[in-house]
Amino acid sequence: MTTPIAIIGTGLAGLSAAHALLDAGQEIRLFDKSRGSGGRMASKRSEAGALDMGAQYFTARDRRFAEVVQQWLQRGWVAEWSPSLYQFQNGQLSASPDEQVRFVGTPRMSSITRALLSALPVEFNCRIVDVFRGEENWTLQDTEGRSHGPFSSVIIATPAPQATALLAAAPKLAGAAATVAMEPTWAVALAFATPLETGLEGCFVQDGPLDWLARNRSKPGRDNQPDTWVLHATSAWTRQHLDMPREQVIEHLHGAFAEMIGCAVPAPTFTLAHRWLYAKPSLAHQWGTLADVDLGLYACGDWCLSGRVEGAWLSGQEAARKLLEHRR
Ligand code: FAD
Ligand code: NAI
């Protein structure tokens, strides 16, 4: 029997690495602190339907990622989303169409990671706090004091600040991860009983507290929802209001939305706020993955590349590639 490989994190990076290793005949075990998979691509189930509170859509610029997205399209996990796009700049709202192809998970963003997770061996509600190496193998320890192992290698697929602590056995890697600052994002969802009288479905915002807004039900597979909107605050506004009570965040962002959207905005029938502490790296990197192949310790995630869905998938592939290369 071979000793399995541990993967900490069931976001896209962890699942990308998992599949590359499974395809090469390796045995893996996944761990996640949350109740489900998806990380920042998770969707929140609510009385207003499933809401994409994190990643809104993704683009595929890298050839390898574009190929895998074609497979996801054929399997019905994703669809193209061609929203009626606007931008808000200098107090002006204007249509801003473009030719960019954008994808979303169907019927919710989390469908992609749910499908990738499928029946893989995973332990949820399991926050790993220590990763340590014995003479030959690795052991993980969780917040409940439980030990998991032995593992031949460990792939840490969490945001950089969470990876830093878990990389203590490889100080060089921990040092590199520690240099990555990740910016927070407040996300708010609003649902309206009567659809807002606007043709706008997505908007890049350049003024004020908002950065982006989207009509959630304009995405494929979500048309049975009430008129739901997801608003993202800028990193700067979020940093300044990190500890603001949720109700006040909703009030502020709802106010900013109502001022810019150019149509009457009634009181929402449903609201939700979510704070992403580690939403995006403040700078892109070209690392691919961080690896100590002799130790068998790896870190991957969007922060090793572009800070986007595509970067997360590519980074997971890169961690698996390095690990497999070392085993040959
Ligand atoms: P994550 O998805 O963060 O996965 C990490 C996983 O590790 C999580 O499931 C977490 O629970 C788990 N974890 C962390 N610590 C531990 C621990 N100690 N023990 C066990 N498990 C742990 N990208 C785009 O391309 N387009 C967009 O429109 C877009 N919009 C975004 C909007 C927001 C508000 C946010 C937050 C992100 C957005 N992104 C977008 C970025 C995109 O979501 C990420 O790049 C991508 O999902 C990151 O995947 P990942 O696997 O690297 O990390
Ligand atoms: P993309 O090519 O659609 O967008 C890249 C950027 O180009 C946009 O942020 C926007 O500033 C600009 N842009 C694109 N099309 C535009 C248009 N029609 N009109 C006006 N401006 C336009 O997507 P890509 O490169 O895949 O980026 C992913 C998106 O995810 C970005 O918008 C990024 O800001 C967002 N993101 C948000 C995070 C958050 O925490 N809020 C975290 C990570 C990514």
Side-chain angles (χ1 to χ4, degrees):
M1 237 178 63
T2 56
T3 312
I5 298 160
I7 302 177
I8 307 171
T10 60
L12 189 61
L15 289 167
S16 164
H19 278 272
L21 294 172
L22 286 170
D23 289 349
Q26 303 292 321
E27 207 183 317
I28 54 136
R29 299 264 184 287
L30 290 146
F31 297 87
D32 204 296
K33 67 177 173 56
S34 299
R35 274 180 300 161
S37 61
R40 282 169 279 157
M41 289 174 78
S43 311
K44 189 102 181 159
R45 282 173 202 269
S46 79
E47 62 194 68
L51 298 164
D52 300 336
M53 298 298 279
Q56 295 294 295
Y57 64 83
F58 58 92
T59 55
R61 303 201 169 101
D62 179 275
R63 181 188 49 77
R64 291 159 297 170
F65 185 57
E67 277 170 18
V68 88
V69 172
Q70 286 307 313
Q71 293 169 16
W72 296 350
L73 270 170
Q74 281 157 18
R75 293 174 189 161
W77 302 353
V78 303
E80 271 191 40
W81 179 46
S82 310
S84 170
L85 274 179
Y86 281 67
Q87 62 180 337
F88 185 77
Q89 207 172 16
N90 304 325
Q92 294 291 320
L93 190 63
S94 57
S96 188
D98 64 25
E99 300 293 317
Q100 180 66 54
V101 178
R102 297 180 174 85
F103 301 95
V104 293
T106 47
R108 54 188 75 95
M109 197 50 113
S110 58
S111 306
I112 304 164
T113 49
R114 284 293 140 85
L116 287 172
L117 183 70
S118 179
L120 299 187
V122 61
E123 197 144 344
F124 286 122
N125 298 310
C126 184
R127 182 191 283 268
I128 303 300
V129 287
D130 203 359
V131 175
F132 55 93
R133 197 177 150 87
E135 273 188 17
E136 279 186 29
N137 289 308
W138 291 94
T139 302
L140 313 184
Q141 187 141 32
D142 67 24
T143 37
E144 307 298 310
R146 289 176 301 175
S147 293
H148 307 267
F151 297 109
S152 57
S153 301
V154 179
I155 298 182
I156 298 162
T158 69
Q162 291 159 326
T164 304
L166 302 178
L167 286 167
K172 258 194 174 167
L173 306 193
T179 64
V180 180
M182 292 192 74
E183 300 286 348
T185 297
W186 266 117
V188 160
L190 308 172
F192 300 99
T194 314
L196 300 189
E197 287 185 13
T198 173
L200 183 155
E201 292 174 330
C203 182
F204 297 101
V205 186
Q206 265 112 49
D207 292 341
L210 292 173
D211 177 55
W212 162 259
L213 54 98
R215 193 169 216 161
N216 199 58
R217 73 164 188 181
S218 70
K219 297 179 179 178
R222 293 145 171 97
D223 45 11
N224 57 352
Q225 291 187 349
D227 194 18
T228 52
W229 292 77
V230 172
L231 323 177
H232 284 164
T234 61
S235 308
W237 192 89
T238 304
R239 245 184 283 115
Q240 282 160 12
H241 301 89
L242 208 54
D243 296 316
M244 184 179 254
R246 285 183 153 64
E247 304 70 45
Q248 283 180 36
V249 170
I250 291 168
E251 199 180 307
H252 267 80
L253 299 187
H254 174 236
F257 174 66
E259 268 179 33
M260 56 153 289
I261 193 75
C263 68
V265 177
T269 50
F270 167 86
T271 61
L272 180 77
H274 182 85
R275 186 182 68 176
W276 298 98
L277 266 186
Y278 305 127
K280 56 177 161 191
S282 50
L283 291 173
H285 293 88
Q286 294 301 324
W287 295 337
T289 181
L290 296 180
D292 186 323
V293 293
D294 296 320
L295 273 180
L297 191 59
Y298 301 79
C300 62
D302 63 339
W303 51 276
C304 290
L305 285 166
S306 65
R308 295 155 50 239
V309 165
E310 179 178 69
W313 185 85
L314 287 168
S315 177
Q317 293 288 301
E318 194 55 17
R321 190 188 65 76
K322 280 232 164 117
L323 189 157
L324 292 167
E325 198 176 75
H326 184 69
R327 291 209 167 176
R328 255 182 231 123

